[in-house]
Amino acid sequence: MKGSPIKKIGVLICHCGKNIAGTLDIPELIRGAAALPDVAFAGDYKYMCSQPGQELLKEKIKEFGLNSVVVAACTPNLHEPTFRKAAAEAGLNPYCVEMANIREQCAWVHQNNGHSATEKALQIIAMMVKKVAQNSPLFEASIPIVKRALIIGGGIAGMQAALDIADAGYEAILVEREPSIGGHMAQLSETFPTLDCAQCILTPKMVSIGSHPRIRLLAYSEVRGLEGYVGNFKVKIERKSSGVDWDKCTGCGICMEKCPTKVPGEFDRGLGKRKAIYTPFPQAVPNKPVIDKANCLYYKKGVCRICEKNCEARAINFQQEPQIIEEDVGAIVVATGYDLYSTENLGEYGAGEIPDVIDSLAFERLLSASGPTSGEVRRPSDGKIPKSVVFIHCAGSRDPEKHKPYCSRICCMYSTKQALLYKHAVHGGQPYLFYIDIRSGGKNYEEFVERAQSEGVIYTRGKVGRVYQEGDKVIVQGVDTLLGKPMKIEADMVVLAMAMQPQLTTPELRRILKITTDIHGFWTEAHPKMNPLGTTTRGIYLAGCGQAPRDIPDTVSQASGAAGKVIGLFSQNELPLDPMTVYVEEDLCAGCGLCVAACSYEARSLDPQKRIVLVNAALCQGCGACMIACPNGATIHKNFSRKQILNMVDVLT
Amino acid sequence: MTKLLYYPGCTLKADAQHFEESAMCALKELGFELQELERWNCCGTVFSLATDNTMFHLAPLRNLLRTREEGGDKLFTLCSMCYNTLKRANKLFNEDPEKNDKVRKAMYEEAIAYDGKTQTLHLLSLLRDEVGFDTLKNKIGKGLNGIKLAPYYGCMLLRPDGLGVDNMEHPRVFEDLIRAMGAEAADFPFRAECCGSYQTAQQPEIVAERTRLIIGSARKCGADAVAVSCPLCAFNLDQRQAIAARLHSDFELMPVLYITECLCLALGIEFKEPWKAFHYAPVDAVIRKMEKKA
Ligand SMILES: Cc1cc2nc3c(=O)[nH]c(=O)nc-3n(C[C@H](O)[C@H](O)[C@H](O)COP(=O)(O)OP(=O)(O)OC[C@H]3O[C@@H](n4cnc5c(N)ncnc54)[C@H](O)[C@@H]3O)c2cc1C
């Protein structure tokens, strides 16, 4: 410690009940510790982390005027904060407290070898005493927070997060790639297990988003760049060119009525048509159209302009350029949602080439009152009402060899729902379900499956091996694994419960946000159990199916959780920064830049004038990679200098 | 003329002589000459899945070794069974160190050691990847216009995944070839269904039942004939129609042709009289129809 001539180190040894004391010879440890250089006091207690243990620590700091402390106990992951806080209460700088882990790394792993274990424990203690002798007091800096959140993705997850944050009094910017918010939930018919209509529960929320004074909705927009750190992000957003000046547009819809070009609509999964100037669905928010440039006659051939002629508000602007805007935000919620794995991948089920074999979202559209058939279930090939429909679960899921190894989690439930709704819509129609096993873990879910069974949905346990067209029938060949018999069903239609997968554009966004995804492309959480809403970057949180497949109740809960994290962050005025970071010794730095490349957190940059490296303490996570990369030893980790590490090694040699 | 080292296998010298001859005729027209390996032996017939199967792999690997001895690195085959055993044995040799070691030790008397570098090339891959279907189409022109062929893959051409000539669940190569010949490819759901394979020896009725199903499906699609490339499939689908007809009075015979026989016709090469004797279901009518088109 600079400027502090005399070291007075205290060593406190914890018994951890029998966890440590059962194996190690505590009196021997105390004797050994007391004999170490600079140690002014060595003592013990049954449970150091208990209230009396902490009091003991404080007492001894005061009694002996200790200026450094080593607590020999468990892993620092568990109680370092406890002892640092206690020391601070006794007036000691918390960064002058270190822990010697004699439990996990000693007592627990050498239970049958108490004698040598005690020797080893003493070495561990001696190492930490050496280290702490050169610790400097460190002081937490703090940074201001921009209390505005960015939410990426306007499905139910992003909408819920935006509303919660805005209702708590903070500003939210909601960026949605498509012309309207709503996401996949807007495509659904009715929702399990209560069968309430998706539109009825979704549209009020969409309207609140559109009219909320603290929510800025940027539809038809995408995030193109991100800089900065928690509390102080700078984000670049592209407002894509829609060909329509939304400020002028009144949303009257005449342009869509008059447009002569019809193409299969994405929202209806290609089962219905939309115009070349369109809103994805009538309840769209914002209720403003965009021009599909790939199909618009004017963009393709320079003719037509019928929309322009009919627009009283003069909102059509074929020359409109995309626009990049920059915003400061303090936190980000990533709610990019899912897509279905394509039926083209399943050759055994016709590879998407049999017209009456459709994916589950397309079937939602056929069931939906606002869908292309106005809620009548009619099959795509000839518009006939199907008398039998086969629902195939796990189409692409739970297939580690060829497709996705994971369970998409909600398909058992929505297939059950679809079978039931089909039965309600088509009297005398027969739904068949092929499943591997029914996963109905959720409140009232099992009851819902029971209901479907009692209403005549036929469940067959087994896989379908082949689906093919024969005449106007779709033949389903499978196996009933309970009866051990091959099955053949001549169906009118087949619905594939395709695996859910992350949006295919995720890798691009991952590059911009610099957060991680798993091997399937789902966003990874900071910790699967203890921090499922956070990411590896502070200030960026996750919600919805972009992180893993889930249903609406779970999506909404998770979104509110992520919003809670943001609100918690925004409730502070300043953000304390962990001072355990690195600094650069300017005289030693040659400006080679190796450390800049080594840093995973973009915390380093080269100062072009001084030709030395600068550290952004707010971004630095103290991982030490730069220290290893630096050939000159110019990068120094606070309280983890090379000298300290070598001193620790010396104890062992 | 490009020379191809050629591995016939047993059937091509027996029940499938017309397959070999028609392949040679058609390939000659396309600029390839088949040069038979000087020494070759049985391919092993079926890839053994027994744990102690080293002996079984020696047969195919020896053929691959002969190829190297003769200075080649590619071995051309027509038969799907041969293609399958040769290719799988090579994969095993290259990827399973333990098997590799055993096999090497067992082949100690060979003049050279096998290096795992012989690639097995099937007729369909050759036509697709080296000739190219567009080139073929240009050469053939209208070809078999108006003829509808049901492509039948069987199992060995496509499985296991990754070793076959095409996607195992949704193959396209046969269809593409048929279209390149000017014919129409029937969209045929049973094109990769099992033909019953060697059940044909012990329980031919099982195979006859498969044949009835497969031929029936081809008929429903309006096919003039079934096109095959595997001698065992050809045998089962063609010869076993006799039993199918005996057991089911409504069963109608359908010609089964090797894809190379069709290719000859598409290229304007005469369908040789002796080839006809190998067929069970009469082929005269369909050949006349095809000759007229080409
Ligand atoms: C056939 C089917 C039936 C279902 N039925 C039910 C049911 O009955 N009950 C139930 O509880 N659940 C059901 N679900 C599940 C339900 O759809 C999901 O739980 C819910 O939609 C997930 O919402 P989300 O916001 O996470 O994702 P999404 O709805 O996918 O929303 C994501 C949004 O983010 C946008 N986006 C993506 N990437 C970007 C980007 N880079 N920039 C900007 N925006 C972006 C997308 O355009 C989209 O609007 C069903 C699912 C399927 C497939």
Side-chain angles (χ1 to χ4, degrees):
Chain A
M1 212 157 60
K2 280 172 205 158
S4 160
I6 309 165
K7 288 273 163 273
K8 285 188 177 172
I9 301 172
V11 177
L12 286 128
I13 301 167
C14 178
H15 297 197
C16 197
K18 278 202 173 336
N19 275 306
I20 293 173
T23 303
L24 305 182
D25 181 345
I26 304 282
E28 177 62 27
L29 287 181
I30 297 175
R31 262 195 304 282
L36 293 168
D38 298 332
V39 171
F41 166 80
D44 64 332
Y45 191 72
K46 221 172 174 164
Y47 289 105
M48 277 305 298
C49 60
S50 66
Q51 201 54 44
Q54 294 182 44
E55 287 308 322
L56 178 75
L57 174 79
K58 290 189 213 169
E59 243 169 61
K60 297 297 169 193
I61 289 173
K62 288 183 192 141
E63 186 182 334
F64 290 91
L66 302 176
N67 49 24
S68 303
V69 169
V70 171
V71 183
C74 52
T75 159
N77 277 335
L78 226 54
H79 279 304
E80 192 180 77
T82 315
F83 297 122
R84 287 199 164 155
K85 188 160 159 276
E89 281 161 16
L92 183 65
N93 184 284
Y95 296 91
C96 293
V97 176
E98 292 285 358
M99 290 194 71
N101 180 354
I102 57 167
R103 192 178 75 167
E104 285 82 348
Q105 290 177 355
C106 192
W108 275 0
V109 287
H110 304 300
Q111 274 171 8
N112 302 322
N113 213 342
H115 183 67
S116 354
T118 304
E119 254 175 53
K120 175 176 165 181
L122 191 56
Q123 283 182 322
I124 295 173
I125 293 169
M127 276 166 42
M128 293 322 285
V129 166
K130 270 280 186 203
K131 175 180 186 293
V132 83
Q134 294 197 346
N135 272 16
S136 315
L138 301 178
F139 301 92
E140 286 171 0
S142 60
I143 43 170
I145 301 176
V146 178
K147 297 187 181 183
R148 183 184 303 119
L150 168 73
I151 291 99
I152 308 175
I156 184 59
M159 286 166 50
Q160 185 66 41
L163 283 171
D164 284 358
I165 292 167
D167 286 344
Y170 303 107
E171 283 174 50
I173 301 173
L174 179 57
V175 174
E176 167 58 53
R177 184 174 61 188
E178 299 297 325
S180 169
I181 53 171
H184 287 104
M185 189 175 164
Q187 289 175 288
L188 305 183
S189 53
E190 292 165 23
T191 53
F192 64 77
T194 42
L195 296 188
D196 31 9
C197 143
Q199 287 279 355
C200 312
I201 51 181
L202 184 70
T203 26
K205 281 205 193 274
M206 292 172 58
V207 172
S208 324
I209 295 263
S211 60
H212 203 294
R214 281 183 297 276
I215 296 179
R216 179 152 175 227
L217 173 58
L218 300 176
Y220 213 48
S221 300
E222 276 179 67
V223 171
R224 294 291 181 220
L226 181 73
E227 278 172 24
Y229 42 88
V230 55
N232 295 275
F233 293 108
K234 270 196 188 329
V235 53
K236 274 201 183 75
I237 303 162
E238 177 186 340
R239 310 208 62 180
K240 299 187 278 189
S241 150
S242 62
V244 179
D245 185 338
W246 282 4
D247 293 334
K248 290 188 188 154
C249 171
T250 58
C252 72
I254 290 179
C255 52
M256 298 190 263
E257 217 177 286
K258 301 283 181 190
C259 172
T261 308
K262 275 189 176 175
V263 294
E266 299 79 2
F267 187 78
D268 284 335
R269 304 288 287 177
L271 297 178
K273 301 254 190 230
R274 63 157 170 81
K275 296 296 184 66
I277 182 164
Y278 72 104
T279 58
F281 51 103
Q283 304 82 346
V285 172
N287 186 22
K288 310 279 165 111
V290 300
I291 301 179
D292 162 11
K293 296 183 181 162
N295 287 300
C296 165
L297 286 176
Y298 177 73
Y299 284 101
K300 266 167 58 180
K301 301 189 181 138
V303 292
C304 186
R305 310 184 85 138
I306 288 178
C307 52
E308 192 183 32
K309 279 168 218 144
N310 284 285
C311 180
E312 279 182 20
R314 299 183 159 277
I316 305 292
N317 176 5
F318 293 114
Q319 270 69 48
Q320 191 188 52
E321 293 284 330
Q323 197 193 342
I324 297 274
I325 56 175
E326 286 196 30
E327 291 288 345
D328 292 334
V329 297
I332 300 173
V333 177
V334 183
T336 48
Y338 68 98
D339 247 337
L340 289 188
Y341 189 52
S342 166
T343 53
E344 284 172 23
N345 296 312
L346 299 184
E348 59 273 41
Y349 300 159
E353 290 170 14
I354 305 173
D356 294 327
V357 178
I358 60 174
D359 71 20
S360 46
L361 272 176
F363 197 68
E364 288 288 333
R365 296 311 299 145
L366 290 185
L367 289 169
S368 167
S370 61
T373 52
S374 308
E376 278 186 41
V377 178
R378 294 183 174 278
R379 64 182 199 174
S381 63
D382 54 11
K384 274 197 201 137
I385 294 182
K387 289 287 170 214
S388 56
V389 178
V390 173
F391 296 85
I392 302 179
H393 291 209
C394 307
S397 300
R398 303 180 69 186
D399 189 344
E401 273 161 27
K402 302 194 61 200
H403 304 288
K404 311 287 178 192
Y406 53 83
C407 164
S408 293
R409 223 181 118 188
I410 61 166
C411 324
C412 284
M413 291 310 296
Y414 75 58
S415 296
T416 296
K417 168 193 81 176
Q418 293 185 336
L420 205 57
L421 292 177
Y422 159 71
K423 220 168 165 354
H424 294 171
V426 178
H427 296 290
Q430 182 59 59
Y432 300 89
L433 260 75
F434 278 89
Y435 67 95
I436 300 181
D437 46 42
I438 294 290
R439 302 197 163 173
S440 52
K443 192 171 176 179
N444 297 325
Y445 285 10
E446 183 60 21
E447 294 91 320
F448 186 66
V449 174
E450 299 259 331
R451 172 179 166 194
Q453 283 171 337
S454 69
E455 289 192 27
V457 178
I458 298 181
Y459 283 76
T460 303
R461 196 194 76 177
K463 277 236 102 159
V464 169
R466 187 165 301 284
V467 172
Y468 59 90
Q469 180 96 51
E470 202 169 86
D472 74 339
K473 291 282 182 188
V474 186
I475 314 293
V476 178
Q477 254 179 220
V479 58
D480 182 328
T481 50
L482 289 177
L483 294 177
K485 279 196 179 154
M487 293 262 297
K488 186 171 159 186
I489 296 173
E490 296 187 9
D492 291 326
M493 202 174 161
V494 171
V495 179
L496 302 177
M498 297 304 299
M500 287 167 97
Q501 63 180 13
Q503 294 274 339
L504 294 175
T505 49
T506 305
E508 204 181 311
L509 192 60
R510 180 183 58 196
R511 195 179 44 74
I512 294 169
L513 301 180
K514 297 183 197 76
I515 56 176
T516 53
T517 53
D518 65 16
I519 49 169
H520 311 299
F522 289 110
W523 301 115
T524 24
E525 54 284 355
H527 188 283
K529 292 164 192 107
M530 304 316 290
N531 193 359
L533 303 170
T535 65
T536 40
T537 303
R538 278 178 80 196
I540 303 188
Y541 305 96
L542 301 174
C545 294
Q547 186 247 342
R550 49 168 57 80
D551 55 24
I552 297 166
D554 281 6
T555 300
V556 172
S557 316
Q558 193 192 18
S560 288
K565 289 274 176 191
V566 173
I567 295 165
L569 184 70
F570 289 177
S571 68
Q572 299 159 280
N573 285 328
E574 299 212 306
L575 203 62
L577 291 177
D578 187 346
M580 292 274 293
T581 55
V582 299
Y583 65 94
V584 170
E585 199 78 78
E586 293 195 4
D587 296 345
L588 293 178
C589 178
C592 71
L594 284 175
C595 58
V596 179
C599 179
S600 313
Y601 304 95
E602 310 241 331
R604 308 197 136 229
S605 56
L606 259 178
D607 181 331
Q609 255 99 52
K610 290 213 251 169
R611 298 279 314 153
I612 54 156
V613 165
L614 305 174
V615 182
N616 184 332
L619 287 176
C620 177
Q621 306 288 315
C623 75
C626 48
M627 210 164 124
I628 291 152
C630 179
N632 289 4
T635 276
I636 294 160
H637 198 294
K638 291 178 196 160
N639 285 354
F640 245 115
S641 66
R642 276 169 206 245
K643 182 125 198 290
Q644 280 175 295
I645 294 171
L646 287 176
N647 281 346
M648 289 166 77
V649 175
D650 277 347
V651 170
L652 297 177
T653 51
Chain B
M1 274 295 161
T2 310
K3 279 202 174 143
L4 293 171
L5 272 180
Y6 162 55
Y7 174 81
C10 57
T11 320
L12 281 280
K13 298 294 179 191
D15 284 344
Q17 290 172 34
H18 55 317
F19 186 15
E20 177 172 78
E21 282 178 30
S22 55
M24 285 188 168
C25 295
L27 286 175
K28 196 165 165 199
E29 184 68 26
L30 297 173
F32 295 93
E33 189 185 327
L34 298 188
Q35 182 186 330
E36 193 171 314
L37 272 186
E38 270 172 39
R39 278 175 72 196
W40 56 267
N41 52 257
C42 172
C43 72
T45 327
V46 177
F47 182 83
S48 167
L49 295 172
T51 324
D52 179 15
N53 57 4
T54 316
M55 286 307 291
F56 292 94
H57 303 311
L58 288 179
L61 287 169
R62 281 222 163 86
N63 291 312
L64 300 174
L65 172 66
R66 299 287 168 256
T67 313
R68 301 295 286 146
E69 277 175 0
E70 292 185 29
D73 55 7
K74 261 188 209 158
L75 187 58
F76 177 81
T77 60
L78 288 166
C79 169
S80 305
M81 302 293 260
C82 301
Y83 173 76
N84 191 273
T85 46
L86 292 172
K87 214 156 174 174
R88 288 172 83 175
N90 204 48
K91 182 178 158 77
L92 199 74
F93 182 86
N94 284 326
E95 292 176 9
D96 183 334
E98 199 184 315
K99 285 267 147 61
N100 177 302
D101 187 53
K102 275 195 185 168
V103 168
R104 275 171 189 280
K105 283 183 183 147
M107 296 205 292
Y108 70 98
E109 281 181 323
E110 297 290 349
I112 61 170
Y114 181 51
D115 58 3
K117 291 208 173 127
T118 304
Q119 280 177 29
T120 308
L121 178 66
H122 189 267
L123 170 78
L124 290 178
S125 323
L126 177 85
L127 294 175
R128 178 189 56 200
D129 305 333
E130 304 202 7
V131 178
F133 289 149
D134 286 339
T135 318
L136 195 62
K137 201 181 174 73
N138 288 338
K139 188 169 170 70
I140 289 176
K142 282 180 74 182
L144 304 178
N145 231 314
I147 303 286
K148 191 167 184 178
L149 294 172
Y152 181 74
Y153 287 85
C155 54
M156 291 293 161
L157 263 184
L158 301 173
R159 288 160 201 271
D161 203 10
L163 282 187
V165 296
D166 204 351
N167 181 313
M168 80 178 186
E169 297 292 359
H170 198 59
R172 277 283 159 245
V173 52
F174 226 141
E175 280 84 349
D176 292 344
L177 172 58
I178 287 171
R179 279 191 282 270
M181 299 190 309
E184 189 187 339
D187 197 357
F188 174 39
F190 288 104
R191 63 211 170 108
E193 204 72 8
C194 175
C195 72
S197 170
Y198 285 110
Q199 297 288 0
T200 205
Q202 300 294 327
Q203 287 180 280
E205 294 74 22
I206 294 184
V207 173
E209 210 34 55
R210 306 298 301 162
T211 297
R212 188 173 76 95
L213 194 78
I214 294 163
I215 298 285
S217 163
R219 187 170 302 285
K220 271 189 208 153
C221 299
D224 294 298
V226 175
V228 295
S229 92
C230 168
L232 185 56
C233 300
F235 182 85
N236 283 348
L237 291 191
D238 193 14
Q239 306 293 329
R240 291 298 175 236
Q241 288 190 38
I243 305 180
R246 201 177 67 223
L247 296 177
H248 300 277
S249 57
D250 59 343
F251 181 78
E252 281 179 65
L253 301 186
M254 173 174 277
V256 176
L257 294 169
Y258 279 108
I259 189 70
T260 48
E261 292 177 304
C262 306
L263 188 56
C264 281
L265 289 165
L267 288 163
I269 301 168
E270 183 201 0
F271 192 98
K272 308 245 163 40
E273 204 49 39
W275 299 352
K276 289 185 186 158
F278 287 97
H279 291 272
Y280 174 77
V283 292
D284 284 307
V286 74
I287 289 169
R288 265 199 306 280
K289 192 171 166 192
M290 286 161 94
E291 276 171 346
K292 225 177 273 158
K293 303 283 179 188

